[in-house]
Amino acid sequence: MAATQSNAQFFSQLKRYYTFYTGGFIAFVIFVAILEQMGVPNKVLGYMFLGATILLYAGIGIMSKTADVSEYYVAGRRVPALFNGMATGADWMSAASFIGMAGTLYLSGYDGLAFVLGWTGGYCLVALLLAPYLRKFGQFTIPDFLGARYGGNIPRSIGVFAAILCSFTYVIAQIYGVGLITSRFTGLEFSVGVFVGLGGILVCSFLGGMRAVTWTQVAQYIILIVAYMIPVVWLSVKHTGNPVPQVAYGYVLEKVTAREKVLNDPTTPDGAREAEVRAIFKQRQEASEAKLAALAAGGDAYLAEEKAKLAKDAADLKAKPEADPKAVAAADKALADFPADAAAAKAAWKKAADGAKAKTAPIASHAEPFAGKDDAARDKKRKNFLALVLCLMVGTAALPHILMRYYTTPSVSEARKSVFWSLFFIFLLYFTAPALAVLAKFDIYTLLVGSSFSELPSWVSAWASVDKTLMSITDINKDGIVQLAEITIGGDLIVLATPEIAGLPYVITGLVAAGGLAAALSTADGLLLTIANALSHDVYYKMIDPHAPTTRRLAISKGLLLVVALLAAYVTSLKPGDILFLVGAAFSLAASAFFPALALGVFWKRANKMGAILGMVGGLGTCMYYMYITYPFFGVNAPLWWDINPISAGIFGMPVGFAGVIIGSLLTAAPSKEIQELVDHVRYPNLEGNA
């Protein structure tokens, strides 16, 4: 009775604290808006937004510092379902959800809904198959469960390796998002912005572990959902007069579809200019393909001949007294950028050919499912759509940093309620993302396309200075008018730049940046903590020194946290891929490594140690191998299996994982009576074991 009363008082206090916090944040936004009207420079306002939010998170982290093991690893197991749902929502809605989701829908249209369906549906699997049972088990980490359920350190060690691999891949995407936001709104170089943003990540998790991360993530959820909703509601009112973007979505989509038809029709002035630009890109594609063919036939001799021609052209140009300095500079640059060897030439010219080819096709309809030039292309898109949905669903139910959150609730019933609240808070953003993508696309099609190059808005050059792959506009046909085919815009840019694209006040731009930062920081905190805890708790404490004192265990965890964070920041500075691919890869890896062993470990008593080892190694190995041979970053470029993209490599790893657990378990002895009793304890609720 006393415990129930204490929990009720704690819940009441939390509601009061976060109500004041929300009111204070709204007041801060209004204050910055007033400063903007008074003429304070935008850069100062950007620093205020980013600085204030990071200081706020740092303050929560400092106030939540702890030396208690239970508080550090699982927040004392006293986080109410509502607040754990908010914390899980922030932990979940990473840079991929906040920054990348609407951007992917913008670029891919209907096909991008695979992310919405997969990530949302995954929480149904979490609620049904894993969350309550792991809470009933009641330890600290996912490798903890694997070690206890299957016995011995080998399953635990494989779990640690898989947890680190999935979380590290995922955290790179978050730190990339942090660097992107920091560099855009402070003017720092991207690589410098990565390490500056890293300070904001570390200060939240370094002192208080899961306790600090939990209460910081609740605060971050409030910021990110407010930041996401305000601009899309504003745009909805601007274009339709309706403040509900989900209702306005259909009306704006009709306008986008009509605009697509105009731009694809060569008999209209806009369509004719688009066709002219696409024809130029077709010529560039053919020229690059001709170079590749000549290189294949002539090898190094052809390369030397081409370089000699460039050198001669540059020398002849410089010899002319009336030579244009810009033309001379362009000739020198072409010579300096010429590939050094045949391998470099092949890679550069293939990239140029593929890039030009992507610009030759007519605009794909945003609303058309699985658009393609023929049945084979449409079938390929359909297969990849379904494969991605499955990988994201199963990966959601197996990601260690998400499953760890359900160790923090007071009881099994609270864990179940927590999954409901998680899904509700995530739904608020996911239900809005398709509308934001269409509203942003409408603004690009109507405000940017058809405008003059001499009057390009300042945000274009500002984002181009951050990363040319995110934003670049080149006058291909030299007519001084912007065509859609002349615009290169990355999906990671859409949400952050939407307020600027739509001409909204800068305070909204700063608010969105703060929301994106909150999304990236919250997920990065949880991921880094997962990695550090797996190493300090599962490797050091469980396998190396079971008698280590609390102070040493926590010191090792914090030291590892710092090392992993710095390593992740360094890898991020190399820009190994776009945010959404990195996140999708983490889901495929988690689905292949963890889900078969976790699900069968809960629901099949016969699953044993050998089965878990074969299943986890086989599933993870298959997934990693397929990604390695097919993802362009690694340079192998092997043919795809059944046309499945590397982001959905889990579609091959999962069946191998299940087969490994089942076959390995049936070929070896059944698990001990104690382990089977553990399965019964985890599976079946009772009054004593429900806490």
Side-chain angles (χ1 to χ4, degrees):
M1 184 72 178
T4 303
Q5 188 174 12
S6 176
N7 287 337
Q9 290 174 345
F10 183 55
F11 183 71
S12 178
Q13 285 179 340
L14 287 174
K15 286 199 295 184
R16 186 164 61 252
Y17 292 156
Y18 282 106
T19 299
F20 285 131
Y21 161 78
T22 305
F25 176 66
I26 293 172
F28 173 74
V29 174
I30 295 171
F31 172 69
V32 176
I34 293 171
L35 291 180
E36 181 182 3
Q37 294 301 313
M38 293 171 62
V40 175
N42 289 348
K43 194 168 185 178
V44 173
L45 300 180
Y47 271 107
M48 286 181 64
F49 259 113
L50 300 186
T53 51
I54 289 178
L55 286 174
L56 173 68
Y57 306 148
I60 296 174
I62 291 168
M63 288 188 293
S64 302
K65 64 181 179 180
T66 182
D68 181 270
V69 170
S70 177
E71 291 284 352
Y72 189 87
Y73 285 120
V74 289
R77 302 192 201 280
R78 59 194 183 99
V79 182
L82 173 67
F83 289 95
N84 197 53
M86 293 177 76
T88 306
D91 206 354
W92 175 254
M93 284 191 292
S94 60
S97 290
F98 191 96
I99 299 175
M101 171 82 76
T104 296
L105 290 166
Y106 171 92
L107 294 174
S108 306
Y110 181 97
D111 297 351
L113 291 174
F115 290 93
V116 179
L117 293 173
W119 283 337
T120 308
Y123 268 88
C124 299
L125 296 183
V126 172
L128 292 172
L129 301 181
L130 291 175
Y133 308 112
L134 290 174
R135 174 60 187 89
K136 184 76 178 294
F137 171 66
Q139 290 299 313
F140 292 156
T141 67
I142 300 307
D144 250 349
F145 175 80
L146 295 171
R149 169 61 181 85
Y150 293 110
N153 286 333
I154 298 178
R156 183 189 297 274
S157 300
I158 299 170
V160 168
F161 174 77
I164 292 171
L165 181 65
C166 298
S167 300
F168 193 81
T169 303
Y170 205 162
V171 83
I172 289 171
Q174 310 318 309
I175 297 177
Y176 177 86
V178 171
L180 197 65
I181 295 166
T182 305
S183 60
R184 167 64 183 90
F185 292 96
T186 63
L188 297 171
E189 289 288 330
F190 175 81
S191 56
V192 177
V194 163
F195 285 94
V196 170
L198 186 65
I201 297 171
L202 287 174
V203 78
C204 300
S205 51
F206 193 74
L207 297 174
M210 183 61 83
R211 177 183 176 181
V213 166
T214 297
W215 305 126
T216 304
Q217 285 174 338
V218 174
Q220 287 165 332
Y221 178 81
I222 294 169
I223 289 180
L224 73 87
I225 199 64
V226 170
Y228 202 86
M229 295 300 295
I230 285 180
V232 71
V233 170
W234 193 313
L235 283 175
S236 180
V237 172
K238 174 185 172 183
H239 291 304
T240 68
N242 190 326
V244 183
Q246 293 82 3
V247 175
Y249 172 77
Y251 173 72
V252 180
L253 182 58
E254 286 182 2
K255 288 187 172 184
V256 167
T257 302
R259 183 66 175 153
E260 287 168 344
K261 290 178 180 177
V262 170
L263 295 176
N264 278 332
D265 184 357
T267 62
T268 66
D270 289 346
R273 286 194 292 266
E274 290 291 339
E276 182 183 354
V277 173
R278 287 198 289 267
I280 294 171
F281 276 115
K282 183 67 175 176
Q283 293 170 3
R284 292 184 178 184
Q285 176 196 344
E286 291 170 351
S288 295
E289 289 173 347
K291 286 183 180 180
L292 286 170
L295 179 66
D300 290 335
Y302 169 75
L303 204 62
E305 183 182 339
E306 287 297 299
K307 189 169 185 178
K309 285 181 183 178
L310 280 177
K312 184 177 183 303
D313 290 342
D316 290 345
L317 187 61
K318 290 176 183 177
K320 296 178 181 179
E322 70 280 6
D324 182 359
K326 290 183 179 179
V328 172
D332 286 340
K333 187 176 186 303
L335 185 60
D337 293 344
F338 193 80
D341 53 40
K346 183 178 179 180
W349 294 340
K350 186 177 187 309
K351 182 179 178 181
D354 292 343
K357 184 179 179 181
K359 297 280 192 177
T360 61
I363 302 161
S365 173
H366 187 91
E368 183 183 352
F370 318 123
K373 61 182 179 180
D374 52 35
D375 289 341
R378 288 190 286 272
D379 286 344
K380 180 179 178 180
K381 284 192 172 184
R382 188 178 292 109
K383 282 192 293 186
N384 276 287
F385 184 93
L386 296 173
L388 184 57
V389 169
L390 179 61
C391 288
L392 294 177
M393 282 184 66
V394 178
T396 299
L399 275 175
H401 79 287
I402 294 297
L403 295 177
M404 275 177 62
R405 288 237 53 93
Y406 301 105
Y407 283 136
T408 65
T409 57
S411 65
V412 173
S413 62
E414 285 287 290
R416 291 184 185 275
K417 293 175 186 175
S418 180
V419 179
F420 164 78
W421 283 115
S422 302
L423 191 54
F424 171 75
F425 290 124
I426 291 164
F427 163 82
L428 292 179
L429 188 146
Y430 282 8
F431 194 49
T432 308
L436 177 57
V438 168
L439 288 163
K441 181 169 277 192
F442 180 70
D443 275 346
I444 291 288
Y445 283 5
T446 55
L447 299 179
L448 194 57
V449 174
S451 65
S452 170
F453 270 89
S454 62
E455 298 175 355
L456 283 177
S458 59
W459 64 266
V460 172
S461 58
W463 279 107
S465 66
V466 174
D467 191 336
K468 291 288 186 184
T469 62
L470 285 177
M471 182 76 248
S472 68
I473 303 180
T474 307
D475 193 0
I476 301 297
N477 61 349
K478 308 299 182 185
D479 66 348
I481 303 296
V482 177
Q483 276 81 58
L484 185 62
E486 295 174 330
I487 302 172
T488 297
I489 187 165
D492 297 340
L493 171 94
I494 291 298
V495 170
L496 296 174
T498 289
E500 296 172 290
I501 294 170
L504 301 183
Y506 186 81
V507 65
I508 305 301
T509 300
L511 178 63
V512 170
L517 192 65
L521 290 176
S522 60
T523 304
D525 284 333
L527 291 164
L528 289 173
L529 198 61
T530 296
I531 297 171
N533 288 354
L535 291 170
S536 65
H537 177 74
D538 291 294
V539 176
Y540 178 74
Y541 179 63
K542 289 289 187 177
M543 290 192 269
I544 297 175
D545 187 2
H547 305 292
T550 298
T551 52
R552 190 188 307 161
R553 290 169 62 188
L554 297 186
I556 288 174
S557 178
K558 292 174 182 179
L560 289 168
L561 191 70
L562 181 61
V563 171
V564 171
L566 291 172
L567 181 60
Y570 169 72
V571 174
T572 304
S573 67
L574 303 178
K575 297 182 181 179
D578 64 272
I579 288 179
L580 219 56
F581 172 79
L582 291 168
V583 171
F587 281 79
S588 276
L589 292 167
S592 304
F594 285 116
F595 188 76
L598 289 174
L600 292 176
V602 170
F603 292 97
W604 189 39
K605 287 186 183 181
R606 187 66 176 76
N608 65 11
K609 179 178 178 180
M610 182 55 67
I613 293 171
L614 289 178
M616 287 193 288
V617 171
L620 182 61
T622 301
C623 183
M624 290 174 63
Y625 173 74
Y626 186 69
M627 285 183 181
Y628 174 73
I629 64 171
T630 56
Y631 185 49
F633 178 76
F634 299 109
V636 180
N637 298 320
L640 299 177
W641 298 351
W642 293 284
D643 293 324
I644 298 297
N645 293 329
I647 193 174
S648 302
I651 201 73
F652 304 114
M654 279 185 284
V656 173
F658 274 108
V661 175
I662 294 168
I663 294 171
S665 298
L666 293 177
L667 292 179
T668 51
S672 66
K673 182 181 178 183
E674 289 78 13
I675 289 179
Q676 295 193 43
E677 288 174 350
L678 172 65
V679 177
D680 285 335
H681 167 73
V682 167
R683 282 283 311 282
Y684 302 107
N686 53 63
L687 293 177
E688 293 77 23
N690 200 39

